[in-house]
Amino acid sequence: MITRFLNLEWKQYFRSSYWQRSIGIKILLGFFALYFVIMFLFLGVGIFPALKKMFPDKDPFIIVNGFLFFWIMGDLIARFFLQKLPVMTIKPLLTLPVKKNKIINYVLGKSAASFFNFLPLFAIIPFGVVLLTKGYDTVQISIWMITMIIVVLIINFLNFVIENASAKSDLSFLPLIVISSGLFALDYFNIVSFSNLVSKGILGISNNPILISIPLLLLVGLYYANYLILKSNLFLDSAVQNKVEEAKTSDYTWTERFGDIAPFMQLDLKLIMRNKRTKSTLWMLIIGLLYGLFFYPQPQYADKEFFFAFIGIFTTGIFLINFGQFIPAWDSGYYKMIMSQNFKYERYLKSKFMLMSMSVIILFLLGMPYVYFGWKILLAHFAAAIYNIGVNTHVIMYGGTFNRKKINLDEKAAFNYQGTGAVQWIIGIPLMLIPMGIFGLVSWLVNFEIAIISLIFLGLLGIVFHQKIMKAITRKYIANKYAMIHAFDQEN
């Protein structure tokens, strides 16, 4: 049965419509994976001599165990944001005589074969081999390596339990951040030395192999907890049953002043307010608005005028970037229905352009207190806002013609990369780096004021030719309409 599952997933993976379109990002991720493998290998081989040189009077094995608490917490946080439970298309299997326990065990077993679980081994095993060559006890080091492998698997299954418990919250990452920060604080202020407790626990298991049964039992318990979680949701009824929720209404009559694009603006506003994934764009508004406070109070950034444009583009365009990069994938769940209606496609796109332009104006006005740090900053933000409206809105609308991945709106928002493709990575170059490069180059060659005028001029140029640009973008969307409909029918 496992062979059949693997065969089905292989066919689904390579026969999907987005396979060839995503080949570039897969190659890029492959290079990143190779880079981290090499780094972990260097860490595993080089950490012993490095620690011996830095702390000649201390045992490197003891020092490494002292840092295991921080590694465990850091690994758990990284997995929460980056690692997802591997899934397979199980709806068709639920109508076939396939035992549920086989499906569940396959999914959990597949999670154990994750890259996140293999990566630490490239540091653990070389470090253990180095210890053996330095004369450490063979049994002790062997038990230590086995214990570390078990700990890696414990983190793996604990992550999925935490994800399931926090999935219903819009700020699902907040409890984990608060708890982990609290544990770090307790250890840092020596109230409870968790690093010392973990170190003594791992060393105790290494010196007394019978104690390895404790982490093994914990691993079995977490595996069983994940098994029960998946089993409770593995019903065909759960895929078709209606969810009863309290309806919330909002007054969007103010959009009617925008004429024939008002219905589409109302749809977008309702979509943003009613779904977990889109609500993240609202939380990002706060982060983007306060982004300048991380830099402007710092004296080292006071004379870096080229950086003002970058912060201005990001601060005034945070909604434009987060919402715009997934146009029209936000509507992928009902895109086929929208495209069957009798309306001009340009109205559909114009409504999204209007929302993004309004957000830029509002964020600029809210960010005007940045003038406290200097009038040059306010000027840079103003120029960035004009550039965002005139250039970046059109750039991101054009980038949307290449979106081919469906977005699941009801999934949790925090660090969710579902529906993200190569477009979302590449679009950052024209959005952020090009205006920053233009501003920095002109400011360096001429002066700050001319750099400001250059950004404003480019923005006004885009506003003047808005109608012609939108017509060209609309033709591109219409040409790709059926390709998008087909792609949005695929699960990814």
Side-chain angles (χ1 to χ4, degrees):
M1 188 59 67
I2 298 298
T3 306
R4 288 179 180 273
F5 287 156
L6 289 171
N7 185 40
L8 287 172
E9 289 211 55
W10 178 271
K11 291 177 179 177
Q12 181 190 26
Y13 187 66
F14 286 100
R15 291 176 180 178
S16 62
S17 65
Y18 57 84
W19 160 248
Q20 291 183 344
R21 298 185 182 93
S22 302
I23 190 70
I25 196 67
K26 290 179 174 63
I27 294 172
L28 182 63
L29 291 175
F31 278 117
F32 274 116
L34 182 62
Y35 169 79
F36 282 112
V37 166
I38 294 172
M39 290 297 102
F40 272 66
L41 275 172
F42 275 117
L43 179 66
V45 174
I47 193 171
F48 185 93
L51 290 175
K52 198 68 177 175
K53 185 178 180 180
M54 294 170 63
F55 308 99
D57 299 329
K58 295 183 179 180
D59 186 353
F61 182 55
I62 302 297
I63 296 174
V64 168
N65 281 279
F67 283 100
L68 287 180
F69 165 72
F70 303 102
W71 165 69
I72 291 171
M73 294 302 299
D75 191 17
L76 186 60
I77 293 171
R79 286 172 184 265
F80 180 83
F81 291 130
L82 300 175
Q83 185 186 18
K84 305 300 174 187
L85 184 67
V87 296
M88 57 188 299
T89 307
I90 60 172
K91 283 185 189 177
L93 299 177
L94 297 179
T95 62
L96 300 175
V98 180
K99 291 185 178 179
K100 292 180 181 178
N101 64 334
K102 288 189 178 294
I103 299 174
I104 297 172
N105 287 323
Y106 171 76
V107 173
L108 293 176
K110 187 180 174 184
S111 76
S114 168
F115 175 74
F116 288 92
N117 296 331
F118 278 105
L119 187 60
L121 302 185
F122 288 99
I124 293 170
I125 295 176
F127 179 66
V129 172
V130 171
L131 291 175
L132 292 174
T133 60
K134 298 298 181 180
Y136 284 77
D137 184 70
T138 304
V139 176
Q140 181 192 27
I141 301 305
S142 299
I143 295 298
W144 181 83
M145 286 192 288
I146 295 171
T147 303
M148 293 308 299
I149 293 171
I150 295 172
V151 169
V152 169
L153 293 175
I154 288 173
I155 297 171
N156 178 74
F157 292 113
L158 177 60
N159 171 50
F160 299 136
V161 172
I162 294 173
E163 277 197 0
N164 178 74
S166 61
K168 297 179 181 180
S169 171
D170 292 331
L171 292 175
S172 55
F173 62 92
L174 193 57
L176 179 65
I177 296 297
V178 171
I179 293 172
S180 58
S181 300
L183 293 177
F184 277 121
L186 290 173
D187 185 87
Y188 180 80
F189 293 107
N190 292 320
I191 299 173
V192 180
S193 183
F194 291 104
S195 56
N196 192 34
L197 289 174
V198 172
S199 177
K200 287 182 177 180
I202 298 296
L203 288 172
I205 294 172
S206 303
N207 295 321
N208 190 0
I210 193 68
L211 295 178
I212 202 172
S213 58
I214 298 174
L216 273 174
L217 288 173
L218 181 58
L219 176 61
V220 171
L222 288 170
Y223 184 94
Y224 186 65
N226 279 277
Y227 179 91
L228 293 178
I229 291 170
L230 290 177
K231 189 176 181 180
S232 65
N233 295 297
L234 201 63
F235 292 97
L236 193 61
D237 294 346
S238 63
V240 296
Q241 67 182 2
N242 293 324
K243 294 182 179 179
V244 179
E245 296 181 355
E246 182 182 352
K248 296 180 180 179
T249 59
S250 300
D251 184 14
Y252 298 116
T253 55
W254 59 270
T255 60
E256 294 176 0
R257 68 187 64 183
F258 294 100
D260 56 358
I261 67 171
F264 297 104
M265 292 183 68
Q266 291 175 12
L267 280 176
D268 283 331
L269 290 171
K270 290 174 183 177
L271 178 140
I272 292 170
M273 299 303 298
R274 294 178 180 179
N275 296 281
K276 290 182 180 180
R277 186 74 181 270
T278 47
K279 280 182 182 177
S280 65
T281 60
L282 300 180
W283 292 109
M284 289 299 292
L285 290 179
I286 301 173
I287 297 174
L289 190 61
L290 301 178
Y291 186 70
L293 295 179
F294 291 100
F295 300 97
Y296 292 145
Q298 306 296 329
Q300 59 266 33
Y301 293 103
D303 58 342
K304 293 181 174 59
E305 296 176 347
F306 70 93
F307 207 62
F308 297 169
F310 175 82
I311 299 174
I313 292 288
F314 187 83
T315 299
T316 62
I318 185 67
F319 178 83
L320 179 153
I321 296 169
N322 281 279
F323 179 78
Q325 65 179 321
F326 291 108
I327 293 173
W330 293 122
D331 305 319
S332 55
Y334 48 89
Y335 190 75
K336 188 185 297 183
M337 183 272 292
I338 291 179
M339 292 301 103
S340 67
Q341 305 300 307
N342 183 23
F343 63 87
K344 291 183 178 180
Y345 203 108
E346 192 173 355
R347 288 169 53 198
Y348 171 76
L349 296 177
K350 190 177 179 182
S351 68
K352 300 182 184 301
F353 173 85
M354 188 60 65
L355 275 179
M356 292 188 290
S357 299
M358 288 172 57
S359 73
V360 172
I361 295 170
I362 293 170
L363 286 170
F364 168 73
L365 294 175
L366 292 176
M368 287 184 70
Y370 278 121
V371 73
Y372 172 80
F373 299 103
W375 64 269
K376 286 187 174 182
I377 291 174
L378 184 63
L379 275 179
H381 282 214
F382 176 73
I386 299 297
Y387 184 90
N388 272 330
I389 295 173
V391 179
N392 278 347
T393 47
H394 297 117
V395 169
I396 211 158
M397 293 286 284
Y398 179 78
T401 63
F402 299 97
N403 280 332
R404 297 291 188 275
K405 289 193 174 184
K406 182 179 180 180
I407 290 182
N408 297 326
L409 295 172
D410 57 347
E411 290 188 357
K412 72 174 188 176
F415 291 84
N416 188 347
Y417 299 103
Q418 184 274 327
T420 303
V423 177
Q424 280 71 40
W425 299 91
I426 297 172
I427 200 72
I429 297 174
L431 283 179
M432 305 293 291
L433 298 184
I434 289 180
M436 183 180 176
I438 294 172
F439 186 89
L441 183 63
V442 176
S443 179
W444 179 63
L445 292 175
V446 190
N447 56 42
F448 176 82
E449 289 75 14
I450 300 299
I452 291 289
I453 293 172
S454 299
L455 281 189
I456 294 175
F457 174 76
L458 291 173
L460 291 176
L461 203 64
I463 294 172
V464 170
F465 291 99
H466 168 70
Q467 295 296 336
K468 291 185 177 181
I469 296 172
M470 284 302 295
K471 286 181 179 179
I473 293 173
T474 301
R475 287 194 295 269
K476 182 69 174 176
Y477 272 93
I478 293 174
N480 294 339
K481 180 170 71 173
Y482 295 104
M484 289 183 182
I485 290 172
H486 175 69
F488 290 155
D489 278 341
Q490 310 295 317
E491 294 293 336
N492 54 80

